[in-house]
Amino acid sequence: MRILGVDPGIATVGFAVLDAEKRSQRLLTCGVITTPAKTQLSSRLDQIYRDLNELIAQFHPEVMAVEELFFNTNITTGIAVAHGRGIILLSGYQAGLQIYEYTPLQVKQAVVGYGRADKKQVMDMVRRILSLQAVPRPDDAADAVAIALCHARSATSLIHQQERFDPCSTT
């Protein structure tokens, strides 16, 4: 399965393309989409949309894993990021990708095994799991790799493979 992991943003959008098969994952590429500061929001959204579509056309992912938003203090920044996230979801949807969304807690749990892990622990585990020489840079790219890994580990788990069998179903 080829996964496009995306860390939403407006100034910087992290992306990672990962191939996953059972317990094996291989990073194909990662990086960031950047938009210039002091540019109209609509222009920034257009840039994200075009660049993401180009990535999808180049790497042909089957699924997209996107981090859900977490608002801490700055709601104004959060609203702009939400616009960017909407464009990201639209791009994946229009390309026919299955889209999966994960909270930061779920990403940390899947990558480190502890939902309250700090950023350094997550980045170190990303490096170890993928046998990389160094943590991917910049941080937004590394976050996107972690999101893709989260989906790879969730999608290849025994529970996910048996999801068609629902022991709690009454039908």
Side-chain angles (χ1 to χ4, degrees):
M1 164 180 33
R2 181 158 292 172
I3 304 162
L4 172 59
V6 183
D7 180 34
I10 196 69
T12 307
V13 176
F15 68 84
V17 180
L18 188 80
D19 279 345
E21 186 177 340
K22 296 183 183 174
R23 297 181 148 235
S24 172
Q25 298 93 29
R26 183 173 63 97
L27 180 64
L28 299 179
T29 190
C30 67
V32 293
I33 296 168
T34 58
T35 63
K38 299 183 183 188
T39 304
Q40 284 187 345
L41 178 61
S42 55
S43 176
R44 294 175 105 173
L45 295 173
D46 180 60
Q47 183 68 50
I48 293 166
Y49 181 74
R50 286 185 288 115
D51 287 357
L52 200 54
N53 285 341
E54 189 175 311
L55 272 169
I56 291 168
Q58 181 178 354
F59 289 98
H60 307 287
E62 298 164 56
V63 300
M64 177 187 280
V66 183
E67 188 170 62
E68 290 185 3
L69 295 183
F70 171 73
F71 295 106
N72 195 12
T73 54
N74 191 340
I75 192 73
T76 304
T77 301
I79 291 170
V81 172
H83 288 304
R85 189 171 181 280
I87 289 297
I88 291 162
L89 295 173
L90 175 65
S91 181
Y93 175 79
Q94 287 183 340
L97 304 180
Q98 291 182 326
I99 299 171
Y100 298 87
E101 300 174 65
Y102 297 97
T103 66
L105 189 90
Q106 289 172 309
V107 173
K108 292 173 183 180
Q109 179 69 39
V111 175
V112 179
Y114 175 58
R116 302 284 182 210
D118 64 34
K119 191 169 192 77
K120 185 176 179 180
Q121 290 172 303
V122 175
M123 296 304 102
D124 187 53
M125 283 305 294
V126 163
R127 183 188 62 75
R128 289 173 183 231
I129 291 166
L130 296 171
S131 301
L132 303 173
Q133 295 293 321
V135 171
R137 294 284 176 221
D139 286 354
D140 299 291
D143 290 344
V145 176
I147 294 161
L149 273 173
C150 173
H151 181 71
R153 292 180 148 211
S154 298
T156 59
S157 74
L158 185 59
I159 292 170
H160 183 78
Q161 291 171 7
Q162 296 177 351
E163 73 180 10
R164 289 188 188 108
F165 173 71
D166 184 0
C168 298
S169 176
T170 58
T171 58

